[in-house]
Amino acid sequence: METPLIFVVDDEPGIAMLCNRLLTRAGYKVNVQTDPREAINYLRENRIDLLLVDIRMPEVDGFEVIQHAQRLQPDAAMLIMTGHGTVETAIRALRQGVDGLILKPFSKGSELVDAVKLALADSQQKRDAARIQTLRPLFSVTESLLSETRREPLLDLIINAICGHLHCSHAACYQRKEDGSFSLLALRGKELPQPFLDLIVRVDASAIPLLINLDGPGDPLLRKNLSDLELGALILVPILRPSLRMVLCAAREVTDPPLREADLELFQILARQAAVALENSRLYAEQLDYVRKVEESQKALLQAEKMAAAGRLSASIAHEVNNPLQAVQNCLHLAGREDLPQEKRAEYFDLARTELERLILTVRRMLDFYRPGATSQEDVDLAEMLQYILNLMSKQLSESNVKIVVDFLGTIPTIKAVGSQIQQVFINLILNAMDAMLEGGILNITTRPIKGGVEVIFQDNGRGIPREKQENIFEPFFSTKDGGTGLGLTVSYNIVTAHGGTLELLPERGPGACFRIFLPIGG
């Protein structure tokens, strides 16, 4: 802790020198002045910790010196000494807010030292109490700052907090640019002219806050600049973070009280809170941008895999569309015969209508499968969906010599899901099973209700997945087959996980590969 500076003001040189000797011996730094007018000038230029002043002096008495000291240096302790101690003097001293009174002459040197210690302690206690009282409202400010993640509203909150807690009419926030200069981010009141912008650069470089009062103490040139700006007090506080270099500014009018050391401490705490809030805002914006890019990538990935699966399904799709078209063509041809009875003609038209409805349903489901961005959940009957997919892929399964065995164990409840996405998962797993059974084989699909949802198991008797590759099968672009995209299982895993379910490989089930899907009823 820095040694306190005691400023002694007494028109009697002998008393002044005695005080100097006693207090210096006690370990204090001491400065002495016998002219009260020069003492007031000294207070304008230099900061002190305690003023020890005689009451009765010619031209300017001690109470007037105290009055100037309280205006110029409100944080300094005040101790008066007098050889004419009266009740009136004590009452006036109390009213003026001094921290102690000592009578001359001193019978013991220790009396003066003890009085100085007590005055410093009382002054410190008053400042601590005022500081605690000032810090209490900061808790609510912290909450409001940290709850705002948008940068522009956050800057407004910071400026409002500075003006409100420091009782200032002017506040500003400056950010350091790459070239070392500063740009104005937010402002209330007057904008600082160029001399103060240069001062902001110096404060940032030194990392030391600056407090200037028009009446002192402080640099006379800075006080003149403050006077030219018609301001009474100014505080500059730097914020130095690896990703954030700023200087916060607070200023009062000429008619307002001067800014004190307690105000500077409060401002520094507020600046640290503002720095944390701004850092949180930046990280939140970066995270939001990252999530947005991931979502866009996932959408592109999902659509790409859809198109890849559609290409592999093209033969089956053509078969599924061609069959009802041929049936409609045949029915219309037969219905057009002139020798056909009316009842038979009506029957052929009904058959044609049925096949057209089947064709419309098939095309609609195909469009749902192709359409990107469909994310609205609906009631999905997994049994019906599975049957439709197997019908759609029947030709391709037949040509691959793959037999499907479907078991529905119990009543399968409907679930809340995005139908086209779950459809894509089933198609991906069936296609993977077909690719794993090059000579043909059997794919067992078992569906059953379990607690909270539905379980679907795909078990083939193909060549299986090597043990050393099982941990990586859900990673993007990892494939166990030649020419594979490595996206099918990744997309399927993301879809099932987004529905609150699970997709996993059951390695202990063999031969072949066994995948288990769990989908919750509620989506």
Side-chain angles (χ1 to χ4, degrees):
M1 183 177 177
E2 190 177 351
T3 304
L5 172 62
I6 313 299
F7 184 42
V8 180
V9 182
D10 195 312
D11 61 322
E12 297 181 35
I15 297 293
M17 290 300 103
L18 175 63
C19 292
N20 187 4
R21 186 169 60 254
L22 293 174
L23 294 173
T24 301
R25 188 185 304 160
Y28 295 105
K29 290 190 292 185
V30 183
N31 209 319
V32 174
Q33 182 56 253
T34 56
D35 184 344
R37 296 190 183 280
E38 289 298 323
I40 293 172
N41 292 331
Y42 178 88
L43 290 171
R44 287 195 178 96
E45 307 294 337
N46 303 277
R47 192 171 302 280
I48 67 169
D49 295 291
L50 182 142
L51 172 67
L52 176 61
V53 59
D54 185 25
I55 292 294
R56 292 195 175 184
M57 293 183 291
E59 298 184 7
V60 179
D61 70 2
F63 284 114
E64 188 174 344
V65 175
I66 289 175
Q67 216 170 18
H68 284 283
Q70 288 174 331
R71 180 174 55 84
L72 296 171
Q73 304 200 39
D75 292 310
M78 305 292 162
L79 178 62
I80 61 175
M81 52 184 174
T82 179
H84 308 277
T86 63
V87 174
E88 289 78 9
T89 302
I91 291 174
R92 186 177 177 187
L94 289 173
R95 286 177 177 171
Q96 200 148 342
V98 301
D99 298 290
L101 183 148
I102 184 171
L103 297 176
K104 298 188 296 184
F106 316 125
S107 57
K108 295 181 180 178
S110 59
E111 290 181 5
L112 176 62
V113 175
D114 291 342
V116 167
K117 286 181 180 178
L118 186 59
L120 286 171
D122 287 345
S123 177
Q124 183 63 46
Q125 190 174 5
K126 290 178 185 176
R127 291 201 302 271
D128 290 342
R131 187 180 295 113
I132 292 172
Q133 192 68 25
T134 305
L135 291 179
R136 282 176 182 166
L138 283 179
F139 294 115
S140 59
V141 173
T142 302
E143 184 178 351
S144 63
L145 291 181
L146 295 180
S147 62
E148 181 57 69
T149 55
R150 297 166 299 167
R151 183 175 174 84
E152 295 305 321
L154 178 58
L155 288 170
D156 288 339
L157 283 176
I158 291 171
I159 293 296
N160 291 337
I162 293 172
C163 291
H165 287 275
L166 293 176
H167 307 292
C168 292
S169 306
H170 312 276
C173 179
Y174 294 87
Q175 183 170 20
R176 189 175 188 267
K177 297 189 290 187
E178 292 184 0
D179 61 1
S181 62
F182 279 78
S183 60
L184 180 64
L185 292 184
L187 173 71
R188 176 180 292 182
K190 294 180 180 178
E191 185 174 352
L192 297 180
Q194 187 58 46
F196 282 96
L197 294 180
D198 296 337
L199 186 61
I200 286 174
V201 174
R202 281 163 44 196
V203 168
D204 172 76
S206 66
I208 300 174
L210 179 67
L211 169 61
I212 311 169
N213 281 306
L214 183 60
D215 293 330
D219 187 335
L221 179 60
L222 294 179
R223 285 159 46 201
K224 182 182 182 303
N225 290 335
L226 202 63
S227 175
D228 294 340
L229 198 56
E230 296 181 350
L231 291 175
L234 176 75
I235 296 181
L236 299 176
V237 174
I239 294 177
L240 305 177
R241 293 290 183 96
S243 58
L244 186 67
R245 295 286 291 271
M246 304 178 77
V247 173
L248 297 181
C249 166
R252 286 181 178 173
E253 300 283 0
V254 175
T255 55
D256 293 335
L259 287 163
R260 307 171 60 177
E261 290 293 333
D263 296 315
L264 176 59
E265 291 180 16
L266 173 64
F267 198 6
Q268 287 179 284
I269 295 172
L270 191 57
R272 285 194 288 269
Q273 292 174 332
V276 172
L278 287 166
E279 189 74 5
N280 286 348
S281 173
R282 182 187 66 81
L283 293 174
Y284 179 80
E286 289 180 358
Q287 188 70 15
L288 200 62
D289 186 56
Y290 173 76
V291 170
R292 191 179 296 113
K293 289 179 180 178
V294 169
E295 288 177 348
E296 291 172 356
S297 300
Q298 287 179 338
K299 288 178 182 178
L301 194 66
L302 182 64
Q303 190 64 14
E305 182 57 25
K306 278 185 180 182
M307 301 305 294
R312 297 165 68 189
L313 281 171
S314 57
S316 294
I317 291 172
H319 175 75
E320 188 68 17
V321 171
N322 191 51
N323 280 350
L325 282 176
Q326 287 182 345
V328 169
Q329 185 183 36
N330 291 335
C331 288
L332 292 176
H333 174 73
L334 293 172
R337 292 174 54 183
E338 294 182 358
D339 59 340
L340 199 67
Q342 188 65 30
E343 295 83 6
K344 200 66 176 174
R345 183 176 285 108
E347 182 182 344
Y348 283 136
F349 279 134
D350 287 340
L351 284 173
R353 188 180 299 107
T354 301
E355 289 300 313
L356 281 174
E357 289 175 354
R358 175 187 165 198
L359 179 61
I360 290 170
L361 179 61
T362 299
V363 172
R364 183 183 298 122
R365 287 185 171 178
M366 287 166 54
L367 289 174
D368 288 342
F369 178 69
Y370 284 122
R371 188 177 294 119
T375 56
S376 58
Q377 293 191 349
E378 57 190 358
D379 290 329
V380 174
D381 186 332
L382 293 180
E384 179 186 344
M385 175 184 287
L386 197 54
Q387 195 60 53
Y388 164 73
I389 292 171
L390 294 177
N391 290 337
L392 182 68
M393 303 180 68
S394 59
K395 184 176 185 298
Q396 194 168 357
L397 290 167
S398 176
E399 291 177 351
S400 301
N401 197 25
V402 173
K403 181 182 179 182
I404 305 292
V405 179
V406 181
D407 289 324
F408 295 105
L409 306 179
T411 303
I412 308 303
T414 60
I415 67 168
K416 284 285 186 184
V418 182
S420 62
Q421 293 185 2
I422 301 302
Q423 179 179 325
Q424 182 176 355
V425 173
F426 287 172
I427 291 175
N428 283 342
L429 292 177
I430 293 172
L431 289 173
N432 285 348
M434 289 171 54
D435 292 338
M437 298 183 287
L438 298 177
E439 305 298 328
I442 299 174
L443 173 61
N444 291 287
I445 302 176
T446 305
T447 305
R448 65 183 182 124
I450 61 175
K451 183 179 180 181
V454 178
E455 178 186 72
V456 186
I457 293 179
F458 293 79
Q459 169 78 64
D460 66 64
N461 62 351
R463 62 179 183 268
I465 301 173
R467 185 175 296 275
E468 66 274 8
K469 296 183 178 180
Q470 290 178 1
E471 292 183 358
N472 308 107
I473 59 172
F474 294 112
E475 294 179 4
F477 309 109
F478 180 85
S479 179
T480 60
K481 58 193 176 188
D482 295 334
T485 63
L487 296 175
L489 284 177
T490 302
V491 170
S492 300
Y493 181 88
N494 290 341
I495 290 173
V496 174
T497 303
H499 280 78
T502 57
L503 170 60
E504 56 185 331
L505 172 69
L506 303 180
E508 69 277 3
R509 302 276 189 95
C514 181
F515 287 91
R516 174 185 178 271
I517 297 175
F518 168 75
L519 292 168
I521 292 177

